[in-house]
Amino acid sequence: MQITLMPMRHDLALEVSRQGDVLVLNGQALDFGAVTPESPGLAERFACPWLISDVQRQSDGRLCLSLILPHGPEAPPETLYPAMLELTGDGLVDLPPFGPGADQAG
């Protein structure tokens, strides 16, 4: 799974985990299992404020999508200019920090 992060000032942090084709964003499970290369998952269908793109499945089976990366008022450079995430396994996703001393869970 390939995730592009788009930084945005926000008061609520984001916690992301993955289980196969399911992404859980602050407790909301988004199942992308039905997304195929011929039938992308439209962002509106998932009704999730963190998902800001349609979900595409590449011919190799990899899912590609964009998420808002919320951050506090004093976010570090790695949060303001995040690298693209390549998820190869399941579990909690390691996101750049929300801000200094901030609790990441939202």
Side-chain angles (χ1 to χ4, degrees):
M1 187 177 292
Q2 179 179 317
I3 300 176
T4 300
L5 298 171
M6 306 299 286
M8 180 184 289
R9 173 67 182 96
H10 205 286
D11 291 331
L12 183 63
L14 178 63
E15 182 176 280
V16 178
S17 64
R18 175 187 180 204
Q19 184 65 43
D21 283 347
V22 177
L23 208 55
V24 180
L25 309 172
N26 284 357
Q28 180 182 359
L30 305 177
D31 186 348
F32 303 129
V35 174
T36 67
E38 299 79 25
S39 179
L42 301 178
E44 300 84 34
R45 183 178 120 209
F46 296 104
C48 178
W50 304 108
L51 180 65
I52 57 171
S53 72
D54 293 340
V55 180
Q56 305 287 327
R57 187 178 300 271
Q58 303 298 314
S59 58
D60 64 2
R62 181 179 49 173
L63 290 165
C64 300
L65 57 107
S66 296
L67 297 176
I68 289 175
L69 175 64
H71 63 80
E74 298 179 33
E78 64 266 28
T79 301
L80 299 176
Y81 306 99
M84 184 178 304
L85 300 178
E86 286 285 346
L87 307 183
T88 57
D90 293 337
L92 195 59
V93 176
D94 188 25
L95 295 175
F98 183 81
D103 180 12
Q104 182 76 2

